[in-house]
Amino acid sequence: MTLPTATTAAADPTPTDGRLAPVAALGAVVLWASAFVVIRTTGQHFSPATMTLGRLVAATLVITPFVLRPGIGRRLPRGRDWWLVAAYGVLWFATYTTSVNAAELHLDAGTTALLVNLAPVIITGYATLRMGERLSLPLVLGLVVAFTGTALIAAGQQGQPRSLLGVGLAVLAAVLYAIGTLTQKAALRRTDPLTVTWLGCLIGTVVCLPFAPMLITELAAAPASAVLGIGYLGVFPTALGFTLWAYALTRTPASRLSVSSYLVPAVAVLLSWLLLGELPTLLGLVGGALCLAGLGLSRLDLSRLDLRRN
């Protein structure tokens, strides 16, 4: 499969689109961060692949009524775009999600988030070299600062179990995340965000269907809270979260938007504190502040600064 080489920004975005894109990205980040918290509790009752299948089935059921409306034929991908949709459906929705679920069986959440957040570096490099996106000084500095913050969050969880297998799974997830974002960016040129998310969920569900018997067995044995956790993962971080991300991706360069994902570990630490009573470490707090600073720095537009002397 060959990734896109042309710039794939949405056509003719309106001023309102430009203002809503950061809000959509922030919403996706908060929902994805909450997924880390839910996975930590729900994952005790479901295996990685069955958790992915249950999550995707729930997401597909929620999105389908909104997609199957008049004019769907005009919104479906055409030609080569089907290969892009199939690629991120398999690699991002199915394989990436399963890899993260499996990695958290061997690593603490902070280390997993650190390794997965290699993805924005990969995305930035590819988008700059092959997609014609501009590599600015604020973007580079923002990446460095935000990644340092993620590293501090991971360092603050020392003493938690680590394994070479877990590291490998998390790095695999980072690569799949990067490929998923880039292929989705290309597919969004001619397909709306909701349809793109729906097709990704649908394709991911089909890929994971061999695990359906195992999912049925685990659902029967799991407590109601774990079953509700699967439903939450499907409806909010997947159906809503990925739709919001796709919306933002149509209106923001992939390299710039990818930096937003560095907020995920920071928000996850905050949610773990509020919902699970897990007090963040000092390094975790400093790391979270650096993640915020890095995101803000990456969004600076030096061209708008008037450096001329009066």
Side-chain angles (χ1 to χ4, degrees):
M1 179 190 68
T2 301
L3 292 177
T5 57
T7 302
T8 55
D12 301 325
T14 66
T16 300
D17 291 334
R19 291 191 296 268
L20 291 179
V23 177
L26 179 60
V29 163
V30 172
L31 291 172
W32 289 351
S34 72
F36 277 92
V37 178
V38 176
I39 288 171
R40 291 174 64 182
T41 55
T42 305
Q44 300 173 16
H45 307 281
F46 294 94
S47 58
T50 58
M51 191 185 306
T52 298
L53 176 58
R55 178 176 178 171
L56 290 175
V57 167
T60 302
L61 291 175
V62 168
I63 298 177
T64 296
F66 297 97
V67 174
L68 297 181
R69 62 184 192 275
I72 184 175
R74 296 190 301 272
R75 299 191 303 273
L76 291 176
R78 298 244 194 304
R80 177 175 172 268
D81 288 348
W82 272 112
W83 290 104
L84 296 171
V85 172
Y88 74 72
V90 173
L91 298 176
W92 197 1
F93 282 77
T95 314
Y96 161 80
T97 304
T98 304
S99 298
V100 171
N101 293 343
E104 287 207 59
L105 295 177
H106 304 279
L107 300 173
D108 57 90
T111 302
T112 303
L114 168 65
L115 295 171
V116 170
N117 273 312
L118 291 171
V121 179
I122 300 171
I123 292 169
T124 299
Y126 187 90
T128 302
L129 295 174
R130 300 296 302 277
M131 297 176 68
E133 293 188 4
R134 185 171 61 90
L135 184 62
S136 65
L137 178 61
L139 176 59
V140 174
L141 293 177
L143 276 169
V144 173
V145 172
F147 187 80
T148 302
T150 306
L152 289 179
I153 291 174
Q157 300 186 49
Q158 287 184 355
Q160 299 294 328
R162 288 170 170 81
S163 75
L164 186 59
L165 176 59
V167 170
L169 288 167
V171 171
L172 173 63
V175 174
L176 293 171
Y177 173 17
I179 295 174
T181 295
L182 293 168
T183 52
Q184 186 186 51
K185 176 74 173 176
L188 283 166
R189 287 177 297 184
R190 290 178 287 272
T191 310
D192 66 279
L194 186 62
T195 303
V196 161
T197 303
W198 175 67
L199 289 172
C201 291
L202 191 61
I203 292 169
T205 298
V206 172
V207 171
C208 294
L209 278 180
F211 300 99
M214 188 186 303
L215 175 61
I216 294 173
T217 301
E218 293 180 356
L219 282 171
S225 59
V227 176
L228 290 175
I230 291 288
Y232 174 86
L233 290 171
V235 174
F236 294 99
T238 305
L240 181 56
F242 275 94
T243 300
L244 290 173
W245 183 262
Y247 175 88
L249 193 58
T250 61
R251 293 153 177 85
T252 311
S255 55
R256 185 176 177 184
L257 183 63
S258 66
V259 182
S260 302
S261 65
Y262 280 116
L263 286 180
V264 171
V267 176
V269 167
L270 177 61
L271 291 177
S272 295
W273 181 16
L274 296 176
L275 301 177
L276 302 179
E278 298 178 351
L279 294 177
T281 63
L282 178 59
L283 283 178
L285 292 174
V286 174
L290 285 177
C291 288
L292 290 170
L295 176 61
L297 184 59
S298 71
R299 292 183 173 275
L300 286 179
D301 187 354
L302 296 182
S303 65
R304 294 185 178 181
L305 297 179
D306 187 1
L307 301 180
R308 294 172 301 177
R309 295 181 179 178
N310 294 326

